[in-house]
Amino acid sequence: MEYRKMTEQEVASRRKKNVAIGISLFVFSMLFMITTMVRVSVNMGSS
Amino acid sequence: MTDTYSDISDLEGQSLPRLNGEGSVSDYFALLKPRVMSLVIFTAFVGIVTAPGHIHPWMGAMALLAIAIGAGASGALNMWYDADIDAVMKRTAKRPVPSGAIRAGDALGFGLVLAAGSVFTLGVLVNWFAAGLLAFTIFFYAVVYTMWLKRSTPYNIVIGGASGAFPPMVGWAAVTGGVDLVSISLFMIIFLWTPPHFWALCLFRSGDYQRANVPMLTVVSGIAETRRQIWFYTLALVPFTFAPALLGAAGWLYTGTAIVLNAGFIWFAWKIYAAKSDEALGDAPKKLFKFSIFYLFILFSGFLAEWALKITPFTGLTG
């Protein structure tokens, strides 16, 4: 089965998107981690 | 790279290139309707900050982020569904889906992932009542307004405008875990502000909607009726702007700001309503449209400033 070869522009565009998705996932997981730490500290402070 | 392009439409003699659907990061960002999102972020921020009770600043920031992403998801779903009409409207023809920069299916997937992610994030990190309200907001905009009302009734924007009015309520709910009269009053202000704001735009973009076969009020009932409706909705909006003060949530600064802004809004709406003929409107609709954006921003800023300056609110009718 033959596939259409992606142009250089398409490859570059896809690479940039992959990087953006990777960064977004990293930031998302960091936000959850920081939020957990904030919640733990708030709960410890109130108990 | 011209071999990856083909023409999709001829808009007023201007040929638009169809891109390869691969889409760049900035194309995906454009799917979020950043300009609409900025207003959502601001009004939600006002809701979060001015709500009674306490929220940890970090949690408040997370709530705001989730609301902003939820608004972006609504925009992406709207652009996915409306690609056919966006393609024939001058104002929207260059959006990522009709221009071919992003495939419709990709826009749908992007919107759904962001919608689910934003609701989940708000629910897990803040509270599930606010998350439910955010989910309803996205549903209302994407399904009730975009898929149903927009193409079926000239009052699409009246009912559909509710989706743009929910963000301060969602922000408020993120702090209080519920809804009360003050948050409803913030909702009502944006809800009643939307029709004159949007119909002012329609008055100078009517041809766009006619071409796209969208039954906007200007297309179905004509310019004269739209002018009347702008005036009536302006008169309905004005009393509601004083509701926060009557409910004991705002004081002299907000009320003074509201009086001045309402005078301006009434003036610009009157210029449209009282014009001798449709042809004599001139740039009055553009002026109202621009002023309406300024109006909402400053009105909510006034509410925010009162909180920041710790100005004592009026006693209010509810004691």
Side-chain angles (χ1 to χ4, degrees), chain B residues 18-23 28 31 75-84 95-112:
Chain B
R18 186 178 181 87
L19 307 174
N20 56 25
E22 197 49 50
Y28 277 89
L31 270 186
L77 293 171
N78 170 273
M79 286 203 205
W80 157 69
Y81 193 81
D82 274 352
D84 58 334
R95 282 178 174 175
V97 181
S99 70
I102 293 176
R103 283 178 286 269
D106 292 347
L108 171 64
F110 185 62
L112 289 176

Side-chain angles (χ1 to χ4, degrees), chain B residues 42-316:
Chain B
F42 177 65
T43 56
F45 175 73
V46 173
I48 291 170
V49 168
T50 59
H54 175 74
I55 188 170
H56 191 284
W58 176 262
M59 295 301 180
M62 288 300 97
L64 194 60
L65 180 68
I67 296 167
I69 294 173
S74 305
L77 293 171
N78 170 273
M79 286 203 205
W80 157 69
Y81 193 81
D82 274 352
D84 58 334
I85 55 178
D86 282 351
V88 292
M89 289 171 63
K90 194 176 177 185
R91 185 170 67 90
T92 55
K94 286 180 182 170
R95 282 178 174 175
V97 181
S99 70
I102 293 176
R103 283 178 286 269
D106 292 347
L108 171 64
F110 185 62
L112 289 176
V113 167
L114 290 188
S118 61
V119 171
F120 174 78
T121 304
L122 192 59
V124 169
L125 300 186
V126 185
N127 71 61
W128 283 103
F129 182 83
L133 209 52
L134 179 64
F136 182 71
T137 306
I138 297 169
F139 169 80
F140 201 89
Y141 186 70
V143 178
V144 178
Y145 170 67
T146 303
M147 296 182 191
W148 176 34
L149 296 171
K150 187 170 178 179
R151 298 171 193 237
S152 59
T153 166
Y155 288 94
N156 46 20
I157 200 64
V158 177
I159 311 162
S163 52
F166 277 119
M169 255 179 127
V170 180
W172 192 278
V175 179
T176 64
V179 167
D180 61 26
L181 284 175
V182 180
S183 72
I184 292 172
S185 73
L186 296 178
F187 168 90
M188 285 305 295
I189 289 169
I190 304 178
F191 181 68
L192 290 168
W193 164 87
T194 306
H197 162 75
F198 209 83
W199 284 333
L201 170 76
C202 291
L203 282 176
F204 59 90
R205 290 284 190 199
S206 190
D208 258 3
Y209 292 105
Q210 200 152 16
R211 242 192 326 271
N213 216 13
V214 177
M216 293 307 294
L217 194 62
T218 45
V219 177
V220 175
S221 305
I223 290 173
E225 179 59 20
T226 307
R227 289 165 51 198
R228 263 193 297 277
Q229 293 287 339
I230 285 176
W231 178 241
F232 294 146
Y233 273 90
T234 300
L235 295 181
L237 163 68
V238 168
F240 271 96
T241 59
F242 298 109
L246 295 172
L247 292 167
W252 64 267
L253 180 62
Y254 170 82
T255 307
T257 307
I259 289 170
V260 174
L261 288 171
N262 281 326
F265 207 108
I266 289 170
W267 169 252
F268 286 113
W270 175 255
K271 295 283 275 183
I272 290 175
Y273 179 62
K276 284 178 183 166
S277 66
D278 294 347
E279 292 72 31
L281 275 174
D283 59 355
K286 269 186 187 168
K287 282 182 177 169
L288 176 64
F289 179 73
K290 283 180 184 168
F291 181 78
S292 65
I293 297 169
F294 171 79
Y295 171 94
L296 196 68
F297 179 71
I298 299 298
L299 193 66
F300 273 72
S301 296
F303 197 62
L304 187 65
E306 278 216 337
W307 172 86
L309 298 171
K310 294 183 169 44
I311 292 171
T312 311
F314 295 139
T315 309

Side-chain angles (χ1 to χ4, degrees), chain A residues 10 13-14 17 28 35 39, chain B residues 20 22-23 58-59 121 125:
Chain A
E10 287 171 329
S13 174
R14 182 162 290 190
K17 270 187 296 181
F28 192 63
T35 305
R39 278 199 160 175
Chain B
N20 56 25
E22 197 49 50
W58 176 262
M59 295 301 180
T121 304
L125 300 186

Side-chain angles (χ1 to χ4, degrees), chain A:
Chain A
M1 196 172 194
E2 274 196 34
Y3 294 99
R4 182 178 71 87
K5 199 174 178 185
M6 291 174 78
T7 63
E8 277 179 33
Q9 186 196 22
E10 287 171 329
V11 171
S13 174
R14 182 162 290 190
R15 191 179 300 124
K16 277 182 191 166
K17 270 187 296 181
N18 289 343
V19 170
I21 291 169
I23 291 171
S24 303
L25 287 174
F26 176 74
V27 169
F28 192 63
S29 54
M30 289 305 290
L31 291 177
F32 266 74
M33 197 186 79
I34 295 169
T35 305
T36 305
M37 292 195 308
V38 168
R39 278 199 160 175
V40 169
S41 65
V42 168
N43 289 341
M44 283 176 73
S46 63
S47 62

